[in-house]
């Protein structure tokens, strides 16, 4: 017999059993509708219901809702119950509210009123009800209305333990929801002392709160470290009887121990040697206990003991400073790798991944290679195998790459579909990263395509081509190997793509062998042509035109193919166009022209592998968030299409040839970048893409050529700027104007105006300076040079055009400055302008005339100019946000607004700053969230931003996270001036 | 922080849901459907953790009932298993050999009990004694004092399996 315990709402129990007796879904719905009608009429009826009845009906509604039906009434009655003076009625009211009322409900105001009353109640049991409700469903509105009440309860000396526990977690909820709504004050200093509280339950609850408070303000809560260490020490050294009911299956206070260990992971190892020693003792004790025989055979005992152990290992890894502990941790995990409990094997694999990245324990981790490989082969649970793959990836280095990549390739043949794509990426990355011999790399990638062609993404095969092009020593081998691979009767389309591209570039290297003479190569490729998708066919057509250049002897054969109606009249416009153009090109151009147009691809500049970016994205995607967005609706990551700028104008004449030489054109776009532009419109887009190697290469050349640019140095013939080197007043302010925009007036006096137009692409920038003579007389001995502070010279390469020494009255002279960003930088180059204003006699009195003028202003170039925005999904954003959680990666400031805080204006500024603003990421629509990548020659620096305006307080909180401390800090400084 | 907890039967019927993050109803339903089917298709010897979207899911079966929690990346999986266990122990102690049916008929009590163990997705009191004391204090406040047990005809067997079977 089921027992209905408690107040025994008989009607409810009868209703529930009625529902359970329904034989079909239809009869259940019928019964429910009948009940809903009944309740509705009761609620609407004239007779006032007593508290018990209201409670019963509200409870029935709740039950109906939990069965999965929608409830659209009864909320008001539930709110009424909140003010009942009977505890159980109040309690049911709160339960209904926390299950069914959402933040946006108009009832929330009434609910908040009731919460406020109950918080002020003398009866702790009512206070607790309110606290529980807030802790469970606390919203921003509640945080604003009640944020000042809860801290008082928490630290008041009259508060009983239970209320302290609830108010800790209630405050935590409000703080997580709306940190600004919690007033600062004395309670912050007192809260860490709760770690010393006598009541273990209070400490347990408070440590969660302190963790989150310290998360964003580690410095303010540094005091928690020694308190947490001493509490932890008392726990781990206590016997299981000491803590009475807080001992769980012979493990003393596992929840609290874990929370303390997590809290300590927010801080660096303690500075105080005594505290540090004590903490290390704790960690050693925990490791020792893992070796002791279990005090109970129950899984609860081992689970809670190991929970503490894993958290201790996390802390050891976080500190990454005690080699002894790291190695012990690794040995312990090694034992778990072979444990009979699947859970432990899973966690050990996961935890070892982190150990693999520490230099102290790396070697120790590598000893377990065999076990991990074995796990990959024998584990029955795919989630465990996934962990094994992750660990193999993490522990791979030059010494074992051969073996690991081999094992992963082996496994790939039978791997679960769900993890294949990720494995392919990992194999591709490892084989590139640790290749000693690039023939091995080429073999590996071709094997990948053979084994798991469907899972080989564009990035992977783009990358192999890029590497082959850049490494002369492997080109012949690659051509030979793809040629052989293409012999297979059924080979994957990706193989055809790689083969087509490589033979088109390097087929000549193997053409001497009669077995792979030009015609054989062509016939082999063309035998696959008809089976391929239009994209691949387009690529093959480009290969054919390259063949005409490489092997004039087969020109007629190829022309026949191009002439074929299948090509010339193909329904696919791209294929048709290629066939027509290539055919014409082969007919009208001389061998020389052809050779120029179809010259070998220039080497690609080395950049971070796009595979890594893809892997990061992939892991994000595989996770996905719990977001309502359908994956299909998500915007493709796509840079806004920009019109060609003068950077490319030089190349426009050649760009059509570039396009052909670079066929398939999409290659030039995606090989290097993170750009995910779909490949559907290749030929048009590549013309506009500056990330393309052909466009970038000439740019580098001109920047380096000394002929038309004068790098400012001691040998520079331009006169030195003179003694007057200090900044002209106002220079700082005008510099700030360029933080969020590229064009404007840099300097203006009665004599001279300096205007700036600038444009930036990746790590390159061009500034046009316009010197306008505002007077009616000539400027003589004019000079304008740029000086770079010494510390900046390794970071920026600045090339300045010379300008004429005379500016006529009313004339404007232009000067170009080219800037290449080599690495991140803080300082600014200085522009030194000097001239003599030789006035006409009648104006001799006017200001400044005849005197040598010195103007020193900052060149408006800053690290943020090398931004390109990145669109990403909410989960990508949060993943990356979390990855950048080290204190030095973040720069944050809360500051008073100096502007009107207009949303649109703020938005404009952030976009001008260079970021892509992401909507639907921050739960608060008033906040701005943005992402971008800073391009320097040395690296690409991802950057995430969050700006939270609080209009009431006229404050902003600005947070920047990047992988480099200096960058976060600098971006923060720059942006601070704009709001 | 624990994001949500779901209790569902072997047949996939949801028995209790507690959300500590404000999802829309539609999303809750979607998540519930997805998780129930994911967990129910897992085999007995598999590990109790799985990566699911950007969360970690920890689940455990007690007799006819699955307890399933979603936690964040930095949370401790093993200890989450023990939160579930402690919750089962508390229910067992309170109802006296708890079975699925008790939770169906006394769902509000199951909620109140959970609130004493954890609120806002964080553990607040791990002492069994203290939680039960708090619940008993609540029961004492029942104004109607009506503690009779409603007698009901027995239904399906599985729902009467004692959750505590695994406990002992």
């Amino acid at each position: 017999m089921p027992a209905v315990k408690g107040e025994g709402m008989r009607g409810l129990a009868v209703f529930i059993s009625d529902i359970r007796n329904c034989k079909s879904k239809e009869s259940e719905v019928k019964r429910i509708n009948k009940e809903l009608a009944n309740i509705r009429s009761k609620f609407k009826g004239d007779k006032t219901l007593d508290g018990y009845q209201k409670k019963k009906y509200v409870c029935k509604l709740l039950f109906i809702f939990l069965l999965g039906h929608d409830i659209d009434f009864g909320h008001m009655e539930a709110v009424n119950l909140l003010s009942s003076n009977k505890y159980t009625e109040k309690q049911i009211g709160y339960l209904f509210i926390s299950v069914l009322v959402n933040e946006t409900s108009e009832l929330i105001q009434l609910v908040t009123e009731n919460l406020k009353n109950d918080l002020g109640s003398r009866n702790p049991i009512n206070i607790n009800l309110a606290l529980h409700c807030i802790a469970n469903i606390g919203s921003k509105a509640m945080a604003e209305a009640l944020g000042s009440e809860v801290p008082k309860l928490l630290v008041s000396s009259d508060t009983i333990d239970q209320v302290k526990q609830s108010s800790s977690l209630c405050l935590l909820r409000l703080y997580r929801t709306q940190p600004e709504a919690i007033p600062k004050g004395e309670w912050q200093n007192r809260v860490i002392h709760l770690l010393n509280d006598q009541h273990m339950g209070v400490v347990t609850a408070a440590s969660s709160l302190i963790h989150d408070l310290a998360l964003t303000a580690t410095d303010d809560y540094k005091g928690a470290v020694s308190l947490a260490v001493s509490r932890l020490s008392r726990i781990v050294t206590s016997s299981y009887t000491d803590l009475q009911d807080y001992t769980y299956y012979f493990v003393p206070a596992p929840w609290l121990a874990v929370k303390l260990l997590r809290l300590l992971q927010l801080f660096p190892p303690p500075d105080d040697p005594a505290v540090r020693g004590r903490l290390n003792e704790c960690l050693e004790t925990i490791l020792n206990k893992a070796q002791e025989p279990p005090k109970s055979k129950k899984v609860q005992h081992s689970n809670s003991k190991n929970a503490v152990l894993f958290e201790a290992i996390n802390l050891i890894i976080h500190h990454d400073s005690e080699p002894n502990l790291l190695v012990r941790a690794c040995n312990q995990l090694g034992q778990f790798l072979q444990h009979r409990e699947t859970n432990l094997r899973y966690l050990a694999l996961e935890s070892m991944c982190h150990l693999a990245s520490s230099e102290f324990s790396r070697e120790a981790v590598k000893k377990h290679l065999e076990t991990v490989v074995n796990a990959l082969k024998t584990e029955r649970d795919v989630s465990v195998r996934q962990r094994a793959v992750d660990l193999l990836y993490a522990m791979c280095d030059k010494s074992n790459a051969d073996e690991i990549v081999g094992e992963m390739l082996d496994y790939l043949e039978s791997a679960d579909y769900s993890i294949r794509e990720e494995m392919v990426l990992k194999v591709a990355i490892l084989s590139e990263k640790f290749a000693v011999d690039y023939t091995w790399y080429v073999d590996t990638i071709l094997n990948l395509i053979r084994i798991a062609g469907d899972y080989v993404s564009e990035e992977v095969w783009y990358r192999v081509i890029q590497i082959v092009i850049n490494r002369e020593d492997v080109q012949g081998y690659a051509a030979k190997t793809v040629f052989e691979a293409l012999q297979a009767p059924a080979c994957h389309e990706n193989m055809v793509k790689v083969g087509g591209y490589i033979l088109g570039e390097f087929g000549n290297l193997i053409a001497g062998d009669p077995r792979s003479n030009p015609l054989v190569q062509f016939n082999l490729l063309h035998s696959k042509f008809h089976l391929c998708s239009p994209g691949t066919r387009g690529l093959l057509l480009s290969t054919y035109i390259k063949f005409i250049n490489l092997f004039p002897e087969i020109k007629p054969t190829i022309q026949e193919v191009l002439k074929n109606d299948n090509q010339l009249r193909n329904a696919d416009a791209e294929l048709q166009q290629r066939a027509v153009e290539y055919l014409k090109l082969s007919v009208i151009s001389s061998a020389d022209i052809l050779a120029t147009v179809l010259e070998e691809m220039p080497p690609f500049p080395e950049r971070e592998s796009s595979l890594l970016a893809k892997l990061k994205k992939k892991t994000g995607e595989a996770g996905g968030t719990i977001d309502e967005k359908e994956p299909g609706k998500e915007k493709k990551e796509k840079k806004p299409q920009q019109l060609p700028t003068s950077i490319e104008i030089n190349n426009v004449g050649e760009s059509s040839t570039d396009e052909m030489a670079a066929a398939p054109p999409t290659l030039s776009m995606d090989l290097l970048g993170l750009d995910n532009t779909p490949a559907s419109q290749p030929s048009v887009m590549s013309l506009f893409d500056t990330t393309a190697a052909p466009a970038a290469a000439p740019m580098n050349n001109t920047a380096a050529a000394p002929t038309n640019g004068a790098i400012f140095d001691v040998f520079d013939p331009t006169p030195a700027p003179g003694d007057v080197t200090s900044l002209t007043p106002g220079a700082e302010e005008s510099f700030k104007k360029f933080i969020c925009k590229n064009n404007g007036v840099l300097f203006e006096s009665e004599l001279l105006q300096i205007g700036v137009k600038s444009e930036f692409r990746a790590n390159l920038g061009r500034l046009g300076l316009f010197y306008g003579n505002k007077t009616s007389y000539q400027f003589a001995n004019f000079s304008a040079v740029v000086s770079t502070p010494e510390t900046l010279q390794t970071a920026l390469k600045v090339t300045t055009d010379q300008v004429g020494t005379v500016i006529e009255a009313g004339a404007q002279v232009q000067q170009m400055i080219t800037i290449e960003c080599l690495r991140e930088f803080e300082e600014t180059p200085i522009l030194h302008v000097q001239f003599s204003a030789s006035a006409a006699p009648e104006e001799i009195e006017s200001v400044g005339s005849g005197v040598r003028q010195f103007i020193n202003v900052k060149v408006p170039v800053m690290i943020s100019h090398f931004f390109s925005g990145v669109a990403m999904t909410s989960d990508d954003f949060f993943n990356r946000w979390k990855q950048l959680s080290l204190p030095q990666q973040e720069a944050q400031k809360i500051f008073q607004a100096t502007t009107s805080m207009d949303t649109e204006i703020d938005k404009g500024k952030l976009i001008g700053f260079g970021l892509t603003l992401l909507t639907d990421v921050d739960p608060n629509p008033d906040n701005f969230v943005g992402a971008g990548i800073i391009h320097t020659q040395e690296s690409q620096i991802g950057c995430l931003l969050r700006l939270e305006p609080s209009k009431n307080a006229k404050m902003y909180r600005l947070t920047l996270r990047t992988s480099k401390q200096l960058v976060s800090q600098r971006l923060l400084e720059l942006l601070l001036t704009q709001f | 922080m624990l994001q949500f907890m779901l209790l569902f039967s072997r047949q996939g019927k949801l028995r209790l849901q507690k959300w500590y993050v404000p999802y829309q109803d539609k999303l809750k339903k979607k998540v519930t459907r997805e998780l129930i089917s994911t967990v129910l298709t897992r085999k007995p010897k598999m590990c109790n953790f799985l990566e699911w979207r950007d969360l970690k899911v920890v689940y455990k079966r007690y007799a006819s009932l699955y307890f399933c929690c979603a936690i964040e990346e930095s949370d401790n999986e093993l200890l989450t298993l023990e939160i579930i266990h402690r919750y089962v122990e508390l229910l067992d102690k309170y109802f006296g050999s708890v079975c699925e049916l008790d939770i169906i008929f006394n769902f509000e009590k199951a909620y109140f009990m959970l609130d004493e163990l954890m609120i806002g997705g964080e553990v607040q009191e791990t002492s069994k004694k203290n939680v039960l004391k708090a619940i008993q204090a609540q029961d004492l406040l029942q104004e109607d004092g009506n503690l009779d047990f409603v007698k009901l005809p027995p239904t399906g067997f599985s729902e009467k399996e004692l959750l505590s079977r695994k406990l002992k």
Side-chain angles (χ1 to χ4, degrees), chain A residues 1-10 12-14 16-17 20-21 28 52 55 59 62-63 65-66 68 70 85-88 91-92 95 98-99 102-103 125 131-132 135-136 162 165-166 169-170 172-173 176 199 201 204-205 208 245-246 248-249 254-255 258-259 262 298-300 303-304 306-308 310-311 342-344 346-347 350 380-384 386-387 622-628 630 875 879 882, chain B residues 1 4 13-15 17-31 42 45-56 60 62 72-79 81-83 85-86 89 94-95 101-102 104-109 111-112 115-116 118-130 134 137-139 141-144 146-156 159-160 167-168:
Chain A
M1 288 298 123
V4 178
K5 203 165 173 174
E7 59 274 39
M9 284 177 281
R10 184 178 285 272
L12 175 65
V14 170
I16 295 176
S17 62
R20 295 175 47 73
N21 287 334
E28 184 186 307
Y52 170 78
K55 177 179 82 172
C59 227
L62 192 52
F63 181 78
F65 176 79
L66 291 172
D70 294 332
N85 53 11
K86 290 186 176 168
Y87 180 77
T88 50
Q91 199 182 21
I92 293 291
L95 178 59
S98 32
V99 175
N102 58 32
E103 284 182 21
I125 208 153
L131 288 172
H132 286 183
N136 288 335
Q162 274 173 299
Q165 282 170 276
S166 308
L169 294 177
C170 177
L172 172 58
R173 168 75 180 220
R176 279 175 178 161
H199 191 282
T204 309
S208 294
D245 210 32
Y246 288 92
Y248 180 82
Y249 290 84
W255 280 278
V258 163
K259 283 188 181 193
R262 278 189 60 190
K298 290 226 166 77
V299 67
Q300 283 75 29
N303 276 352
S304 42
N306 292 328
V308 177
F310 275 108
E311 213 55 60
T342 318
N343 289 344
L344 284 181
Y346 176 96
L347 294 173
E350 190 179 40
R380 280 188 296 172
D381 184 346
V382 58
S383 34
V384 186
Q386 170 78 60
R387 292 285 83 82
T625 25
I626 300 197
D627 209 314
E628 274 190 299
E630 296 294 322
D875 38 315
N879 277 337
K882 276 187 216 154
Chain B
M1 170 195 166
F4 56 86
K13 283 214 160 162
L14 190 60
R15 294 305 184 199
Q17 45 175 317
K18 185 78 186 177
W19 303 84
Y20 296 108
V21 278
Y23 294 162
Q24 295 297 311
D25 287 343
K26 216 174 103 193
L27 183 58
K28 286 184 186 170
K29 281 187 182 165
K30 189 173 157 220
V31 165
R42 294 189 47 98
K45 284 277 172 184
M46 284 186 165
C47 89
N48 294 91
F49 320 128
L50 48 116
E51 279 187 329
W52 184 78
R53 308 214 182 177
D54 58 347
L55 298 175
K56 299 194 285 197
K60 185 155 178 173
Y62 284 89
E72 287 171 306
E73 172 59 30
S74 57
D75 287 318
N76 193 306
E77 292 96 336
L78 285 173
L79 217 46
L81 271 182
E82 296 317 304
I83 292 179
H85 187 77
R86 176 105 300 178
E89 282 183 342
Y94 181 72
F95 288 108
L101 224 46
D102 291 316
I104 297 172
F105 278 91
N106 302 280
F107 66 94
E108 79 282 8
K109 283 287 169 200
Y111 272 115
F112 299 151
D115 274 352
E116 294 299 329
M118 62 186 313
I119 51 175
E122 302 283 353
V123 173
Q124 75 153 336
E125 179 56 88
T126 62
S127 155
K128 197 154 59 169
K129 263 190 215 146
N130 288 353
Q138 291 173 15
D139 282 351
L141 287 172
Q142 275 156 44
E143 300 78 7
D144 28 35
N146 184 359
L147 280 165
D148 65 342
F149 291 178
V150 181
K151 303 276 185 283
L152 292 158
T155 42
E159 290 164 341
K160 295 181 73 189
L167 295 182
K168 284 153 192 165

Side-chain angles (χ1 to χ4, degrees), chain A residues 195 225-238 253-254 256-261 264 278-279 282-283 286 308 312 315:
Chain A
L195 290 173
V225 174
S226 61
L227 293 170
V229 170
S230 69
R231 191 85 209 202
L232 181 67
S233 161
R234 270 182 282 161
I235 294 170
V236 296
T237 54
S238 66
L256 179 54
V258 163
K259 283 188 181 193
L260 293 170
L261 287 162
L264 290 169
R278 200 162 177 199
L279 177 56
C282 290
L283 296 171
I286 295 171
V308 177
L315 181 60

Side-chain angles (χ1 to χ4, degrees), chain A residues 412 420-429 441 445 448-449 452-465 492-495 497-498 609-615 617-618 621 667 670-671 676:
Chain A
L412 199 51
R420 278 196 190 182
E421 188 178 348
E422 197 184 320
M423 280 194 73
V424 166
L425 272 175
K426 287 186 164 158
V427 170
I429 291 169
Y441 168 73
I445 301 294
L448 263 188
I449 298 177
D454 283 344
Y455 298 90
V456 172
S457 57
E458 285 178 341
E459 286 85 349
V460 173
W461 69 262
Y462 286 2
R463 188 74 185 158
V464 67
I465 287 174
H492 196 272
E493 186 162 338
N494 280 337
M495 188 71 90
K497 289 178 187 164
V498 175
S609 163
S610 53
L611 294 184
L612 285 171
K614 162 100 178 171
L615 181 66
K617 189 164 171 281
K618 172 82 195 145
E621 237 170 47
L667 263 180
D670 285 338
L671 255 176
N676 265 358

Side-chain angles (χ1 to χ4, degrees), chain A residues 326-565:
Chain A
L326 281 159
V327 170
R328 283 194 65 188
C330 186
N331 294 340
Q332 182 60 53
L333 294 177
Q335 288 181 18
F336 285 157
L337 286 183
Q338 318 221 35
H339 202 278
R340 61 186 166 79
E341 280 262 345
T342 318
N343 289 344
L344 284 181
R345 295 198 302 275
Y346 176 96
L347 294 173
L349 287 165
E350 190 179 40
S351 191
M352 254 198 193
C353 273
H354 303 297
L355 275 177
S357 57
S358 162
E359 51 171 320
F360 301 116
S361 49
R362 191 166 178 86
E363 290 306 312
V365 171
K366 278 162 63 185
K367 286 188 196 134
H368 300 284
L369 177 59
E370 200 185 326
T371 320
V372 182
V373 167
N374 210 28
L376 189 61
K377 288 177 179 161
T378 57
E379 282 291 349
R380 280 188 296 172
D381 184 346
V382 58
S383 34
V384 186
R385 292 196 293 271
Q386 170 78 60
R387 292 285 83 82
V389 172
D390 291 347
L391 179 53
L392 285 176
Y393 179 74
M395 71 203 273
C396 188
D397 62 16
K398 275 211 158 60
S399 71
N400 56 19
D402 215 354
E403 182 175 358
I404 287 181
V405 167
E407 292 291 354
M408 282 170 90
L409 271 177
D410 264 1
Y411 174 63
L412 199 51
E413 301 205 40
S414 58
D416 312 76
Y417 293 108
S418 55
I419 62 174
R420 278 196 190 182
E421 188 178 348
E422 197 184 320
M423 280 194 73
V424 166
L425 272 175
K426 287 186 164 158
V427 170
I429 291 169
L430 292 178
S431 55
E432 176 189 335
K433 197 165 163 195
F434 299 116
V436 185
D437 174 0
Y438 277 87
T439 58
W440 173 72
Y441 168 73
V442 170
D443 285 341
T444 306
I445 301 294
L446 294 185
N447 263 331
L448 263 188
I449 298 177
R450 217 183 345 253
I451 295 170
D454 283 344
Y455 298 90
V456 172
S457 57
E458 285 178 341
E459 286 85 349
V460 173
W461 69 262
Y462 286 2
R463 188 74 185 158
V464 67
I465 287 174
Q466 186 186 352
I467 285 176
V468 169
I469 284 174
N470 285 11
R471 302 199 63 97
E472 218 173 304
D473 50 332
V474 81
Q475 290 164 354
Y477 180 80
K480 182 167 158 285
T481 321
V482 286
F483 178 78
E484 280 161 10
L486 285 171
Q487 312 269 338
C491 67
H492 196 272
E493 186 162 338
N494 280 337
M495 188 71 90
V496 179
K497 289 178 187 164
V498 175
Y501 197 91
I502 288 186
L503 291 180
E505 291 287 320
F506 308 113
N508 53 329
L509 300 177
I510 55 166
D513 187 328
R515 285 168 299 178
S516 53
N517 72 29
L519 192 61
V520 175
Q521 284 186 39
F522 173 74
N523 285 337
L524 179 62
L525 281 177
H526 200 54
S527 69
K528 319 276 182 197
F529 188 87
H530 308 280
L531 305 169
C532 291
S533 63
T536 309
R537 287 196 212 177
L539 185 154
L540 287 177
L541 289 179
S542 299
T543 302
Y544 297 168
I545 184 74
K546 291 182 198 171
F547 274 178
I548 292 185
N549 175 45
L550 293 177
F551 315 124
E553 63 270 34
I554 59 169
K555 181 169 164 178
T557 320
I558 293 176
Q559 282 177 331
E560 275 313 306
V561 170
L562 294 175
K563 263 186 226 161
N564 188 302
D565 275 358

